[in-house]
Amino acid sequence: MSDMIAQVHRAGERTYHAEYLLDEGVRGEISQHARPSQAAYGYPGGRLVAAADGLTSCVTAVRPARCQIRPVPKPGPLGLAPYTELVKHGLVTAPVLDELLGVVEVQTQATVEAHDTTVAGRQATCLEVSGLIETAAAGFTVCVTSDGVLASFTGVLDGVEIDQALLRLSAAPPADAFAVPSGARVVDRRPNATPKP
């Protein structure tokens, strides 16, 4: 368990782009840039971009897209809110996985079985977890690549059935990965934001 937690943390220092197949055959993606530190999460109908200067959430199911920029949330359960919102769209991210693995580590009654597999041509370590209590999931199966990128996640999380599997992993995100969609209407809700003309 501690090895997988360390792997997930190491992935936070990498630049990569991961494409996923989600439940019901839809696609999702996670892009991460190490320096400057920023991450972007895409799912059908929306995207979230997390950077040091703000959290930008966009609804892309409408034209033009609508985006809001909020202050970066403080660490802790409330700070996970934007990422748990992504779970509702079938996308598990590193902050949510990190929190889940931390819960498993302290719940001594939980059963954890490990095995190795290959996902999207990459070697991955998997944990099958069951017997969790008073948490977002009673059990789940998660696989993480050797460099810490989420390879797959299966289980019911916060009442949402998750079936997420890595399709492709590349070393560089697309050029527009961290930009708001072209022509989007942007509302900046940060306290010191300068109103746009």
Side-chain angles (χ1 to χ4, degrees), residues 49-186:
V49 178
D53 61 349
L55 205 63
T56 305
S57 57
C58 297
V59 176
T60 58
V62 296
R63 292 288 179 265
R66 293 195 310 264
C67 301
Q68 290 190 12
I69 307 175
R70 291 191 158 84
V72 176
K74 293 179 173 60
L78 290 177
L80 274 178
Y83 305 103
T84 53
E85 182 66 27
L86 293 174
V87 169
K88 295 176 186 175
H89 300 282
L91 188 65
V92 172
T93 60
V96 169
L97 179 58
D98 192 38
E99 177 81 3
L100 269 178
L101 294 176
V103 168
V104 175
E105 200 172 32
V106 298
Q107 291 204 10
T108 53
Q109 83 291 342
T111 301
V112 180
E113 294 183 18
H115 67 273
D116 292 331
T117 191
T118 302
V119 180
R122 294 180 180 263
Q123 188 172 358
T125 300
C126 303
L127 297 179
E128 292 182 37
V129 179
S130 59
L132 295 174
I133 55 173
E134 296 181 1
T135 187
F140 57 89
T141 300
V142 61
C143 300
V144 172
T145 67
S146 56
D147 40 16
V149 176
L150 178 64
S152 66
F153 187 99
T154 308
V156 177
L157 187 52
D158 287 328
V160 178
E161 193 166 327
I162 305 289
D163 187 1
Q164 177 175 341
L166 184 67
L167 290 174
R168 274 180 291 282
L169 181 62
S170 54
D176 61 350
F178 308 104
V180 297
S182 179
R185 292 181 180 167
V186 180

Side-chain angles (χ1 to χ4, degrees), residues 1-89:
M1 181 60 60
S2 56
D3 286 349
M4 184 171 281
I5 291 172
Q7 279 180 297
V8 171
H9 286 172
R10 277 200 304 274
E13 299 163 7
R14 291 191 62 228
T15 295
Y16 67 88
H17 177 70
E19 297 174 47
Y20 294 94
L21 182 65
L22 307 180
D23 197 31
E24 299 184 354
V26 300
R27 303 288 178 101
E29 59 184 25
I30 297 175
S31 295
Q32 185 169 289
H33 200 283
R35 289 178 184 81
S37 177
Q38 53 187 342
Y41 311 94
Y43 56 89
R47 69 189 287 101
L48 175 75
V49 178
D53 61 349
L55 205 63
T56 305
S57 57
C58 297
V59 176
T60 58
V62 296
R63 292 288 179 265
R66 293 195 310 264
C67 301
Q68 290 190 12
I69 307 175
R70 291 191 158 84
V72 176
K74 293 179 173 60
L78 290 177
L80 274 178
Y83 305 103
T84 53
E85 182 66 27
L86 293 174
V87 169
K88 295 176 186 175
H89 300 282

